[in-house]
Amino acid sequence: MSITTLDSTALAEVRARFDGDVLEEGDAGYDDARKLFNAMFDRKPRLVVRCTGAPDVVAGVALARETQLPLAIKGGGHSVNGHASCDDGILLDLSPMKEITVDADAHTVRAQAGVNWGEFDAATTAHGLATTGGRVTTTGIAGLTLGTGSGWLERLHGYTADNLISADVVTADGRIVHASEDENPDLFWGLRGGGGNFGVVVNFEYRLHEVPPLVLGGMLLWPFERAGEIMRAYRALLADAPDELGGAVAILTAPPAPFVPPELHGQHVVGVVATVFMEPERGAELIEPLRDLEPLVDIVAPMPYTAVQQLLDPMNPHGHKHYWKAELVEELSDELIDATIAHEERMGRSHSLLLLQPLGGRIARIPDDASAITARHAAWAAHCIGEWETPEETEGELAWVRAWADVIAPFRMAGVPMTFSADTGDERVRATYGDEKYARLVALKDKYDPENLFRLNQNIKPSSARS
Ligand SMILES: Cc1cc2nc3c(=O)[nH]c(=O)nc-3n(C[C@H](O)[C@H](O)[C@H](O)COP(=O)(O)OP(=O)(O)OC[C@H]3O[C@@H](n4cnc5c(N)ncnc54)[C@H](O)[C@@H]3O)c2cc1C
């Protein structure tokens, strides 16, 4: 069948293969299904399959093989690089796949690939349980987990992928393969950090942890002029902190929110997001040194874990434009703090951020060979996040984020989680893993996807696709 010249008979035959809706341009729901979180991309697939379960995914993979059309996989649609849709290809939209089952006694959860973090957290915290998850609730569990998965709980419980117990994967040849430490352990190793390179994951099973009913979360803000002092104080606080303390320090534009003094509205400020996963009274003692620095805004308060997870939602609605770079560093040196502060000069005044995020804790205690994830000894992640709304801002924001590459170059170490970055080139992907792990991932790609059917991602090319 040639789907590129699809007539109504052929389309009817294709539709009959799927339980879910098969949409083309003009159909109701097509635009919603193809839409990505990042408004930098407006891609128009030839067909969108609204997958209802594993059989639809198997049929979709077969259709892509048969037609040789590009194949895009969409979980939550948050990929900053726009890979979760495509032009003139087939988009498997997994977002209708929402089943989620918690085993509270075993402290595990099984979730289908269309679940997002808001839905995941709601289901698990109903049992007083959680695992490390994305910091914006509309982000999908699928892309985030496969790309490593960083979240507020990571110093206590490791990255999201560190909490993966098993996955069911539709491979390029149409099989459904179970991957865990005991079954297909090579695939399980690569899924954790290797992104969507090896197949379409339809089910994820995670380990859960108890969270107190109330924890401490919120933000403290100071004028930008105090950035050096605040960043150093935050670094000192983290140096001896228990794993329960996490968060980040950032340079951002103060929003015109009621809790922000009017003189700060629209001004660059320095802020700390504080998250402390212990009883709030003990947590408050821990962050006392920050409060001693007399912030102009202090909205840190006891709240449920789900509220901590929603802290950044207001700043991250659908439809903004995004372009990001990130690197890992071995230490947060005075020089890096000063370089970060100097880069503020060209930062826009809408939603962009320079963000320093502490790592360590449990992340660093997991052996390096446990999964494809690298650079576990990194102490901090440094992010340059361009986020804006109008086309007029685009050129300046892109230039500002690109210029940050030179700022961070003297400090960066090899390896950065795939989910952090909009960069997708071969060299970048290889550098993420280092030579040894990269060679292992190429061997895995040769085994599970030798024709590179799954290539709309931060692609690990199989040997057949190398010149
Ligand atoms: C506002 C915002 C906040 C974010 N916060 C965090 C954060 O706190 N921590 C963090 O680590 N990252 C974060 N990210 C990055 C995010 O984790 C990645 O963009 C991730 O890919 C999003 O997952 P998704 O399912 O929404 O992605 P999608 O865009 O749907 O998918 C991204 C890619 O993942 C692959 N993929 C998706 N689903 C599957 C599947 N079922 N099987 C195989 N491959 C699949 C495909 O290659 C796809 O192109 C954030 C992104 C945004 C935009």
Side-chain angles (χ1 to χ4, degrees):
M1 173 202 311
S2 169
I3 210 165
T4 44
T5 57
L6 195 68
D7 58 22
S8 55
T9 319
L11 187 58
E13 197 268 312
V14 166
R15 286 197 161 115
R17 299 181 189 185
F18 295 93
D19 292 329
D21 291 336
V22 176
L23 309 172
E24 53 178 354
E25 193 169 2
D27 287 343
Y30 171 85
D31 282 329
D32 275 348
R34 74 182 177 88
K35 200 178 285 170
L36 299 181
F37 182 85
N38 185 356
M40 287 287 278
F41 300 99
D42 181 25
R43 298 197 157 135
K44 293 196 172 167
R46 180 71 187 82
L47 288 182
V48 178
V49 181
R50 299 264 297 151
C51 297
T52 58
D56 277 354
V57 176
V58 171
V61 167
L63 186 66
R65 258 199 339 260
E66 195 180 317
T67 59
Q68 296 291 305
L69 287 173
L71 176 64
I73 312 298
K74 179 178 167 188
H78 268 224
S79 63
V80 181
N81 52 41
H83 278 144
S85 189
C86 59
D87 285 316
D88 299 323
I90 298 168
L91 168 60
L92 299 188
D93 173 15
L94 308 183
S95 62
M97 294 170 56
K98 294 284 191 197
E99 261 176 48
I100 176 158
T101 313
V102 178
D103 184 336
D105 294 333
H107 284 201
T108 61
V109 59
R110 194 175 154 80
Q112 280 188 315
V115 169
N116 67 33
W117 285 105
E119 294 154 352
F120 184 99
D121 292 335
T124 63
T125 55
H127 303 275
L129 301 168
T131 202
T132 309
R135 297 179 180 86
V136 171
T137 59
T138 49
T139 309
I141 62 166
L144 184 135
T145 303
L146 298 170
T148 298
S150 164
W152 299 129
L153 277 174
E154 67 200 355
R155 282 173 38 81
L156 191 55
H157 298 306
Y159 289 127
T160 309
D162 294 331
N163 291 285
L164 190 67
I165 299 172
S166 73
D168 297 316
V169 189
V170 176
T171 53
D173 55 8
R175 288 177 300 143
I176 302 180
V177 175
H178 188 68
S180 68
E181 290 289 0
D182 301 321
E183 275 181 73
N184 302 298
D186 58 344
L187 179 58
F188 188 57
W189 181 90
L191 286 176
R192 290 169 295 158
N197 275 288
F198 308 110
V200 186
V201 177
V202 286
N203 295 308
F204 295 84
E205 185 191 7
Y206 301 88
R207 193 172 304 113
L208 296 172
H209 312 271
E210 288 175 15
V211 278
L214 290 177
V215 295
L216 208 58
M219 194 184 275
L220 306 151
L221 295 181
W222 295 262
F224 170 71
E225 293 66 39
R226 295 186 64 189
E229 175 196 359
I230 302 303
M231 286 180 169
R232 285 170 174 82
Y234 186 62
R235 176 183 65 186
L237 184 64
L238 262 294
D240 300 317
D243 296 347
E244 284 87 347
L245 179 66
V249 61
I251 297 170
L252 67 157
T253 302
F259 59 84
V260 178
E263 66 273 19
L264 289 185
H265 290 182
Q267 300 299 313
H268 286 174
V269 292
V270 59
V272 168
V273 176
T275 61
V276 201
F277 298 105
M278 58 174 66
E279 296 72 37
E281 300 72 34
R282 286 175 53 223
E285 282 169 29
L286 256 185
I287 64 157
E288 202 52 48
L290 293 174
R291 287 186 155 145
D292 289 346
L293 296 171
E294 298 178 353
L296 297 185
V297 172
D298 179 352
I299 51 166
V300 178
M303 57 182 75
Y305 172 74
T306 46
V308 174
Q309 286 289 87
Q310 291 161 16
L311 281 172
L312 303 189
D313 281 4
M315 298 178 219
N316 288 281
H318 269 82
H320 285 180
K321 299 180 192 338
H322 291 256
Y323 181 62
W324 304 357
K325 285 185 187 293
E327 298 290 353
L328 300 180
V329 296
E330 279 181 50
E331 58 162 341
L332 181 55
S333 61
D334 282 340
E335 292 76 13
L336 175 52
I337 288 177
D338 294 343
T340 303
I341 293 169
H343 200 56
E344 168 270 349
E345 206 179 344
R346 290 172 61 190
M347 188 171 98
R349 290 194 181 265
S350 47
H351 311 284
S352 293
L353 299 172
L354 286 157
L355 184 132
L356 300 166
Q357 168 207 336
L359 298 169
R362 172 99 183 111
I363 294 170
R365 291 195 292 275
I366 293 172
D368 180 71
D369 61 2
S371 68
I373 297 169
T374 51
R376 288 190 177 275
H377 61 292
W380 291 76
H383 299 254
C384 184
I385 298 181
E387 179 183 346
W388 65 102
E389 293 181 51
T390 66
E392 294 70 38
E393 293 166 278
T394 300
E395 199 182 319
E397 291 284 355
L398 294 181
W400 174 71
V401 177
R402 286 187 180 126
W404 184 79
D406 290 336
V407 174
I408 196 69
F411 308 101
R412 73 188 177 97
M413 53 190 281
V416 68
M418 275 195 174
T419 51
F420 282 3
S421 181
D423 294 331
T424 58
D426 278 357
E427 279 317 305
R428 178 73 197 192
V429 175
R430 181 188 286 268
T432 296
Y433 301 105
D435 289 346
E436 207 182 315
K437 283 195 176 181
Y438 187 71
R440 196 167 160 183
L441 288 164
V442 171
L444 204 57
K445 186 76 173 171
D446 288 347
K447 178 173 172 184
Y448 286 99
D449 186 20
E451 305 297 328
N452 211 8
L453 186 69
F454 305 113
R455 61 182 177 276
L456 295 183
N457 47 41
Q458 279 145 313
N459 195 222
I460 296 161
K461 286 198 174 76
S463 303
S464 67
R466 284 163 198 283
S467 47

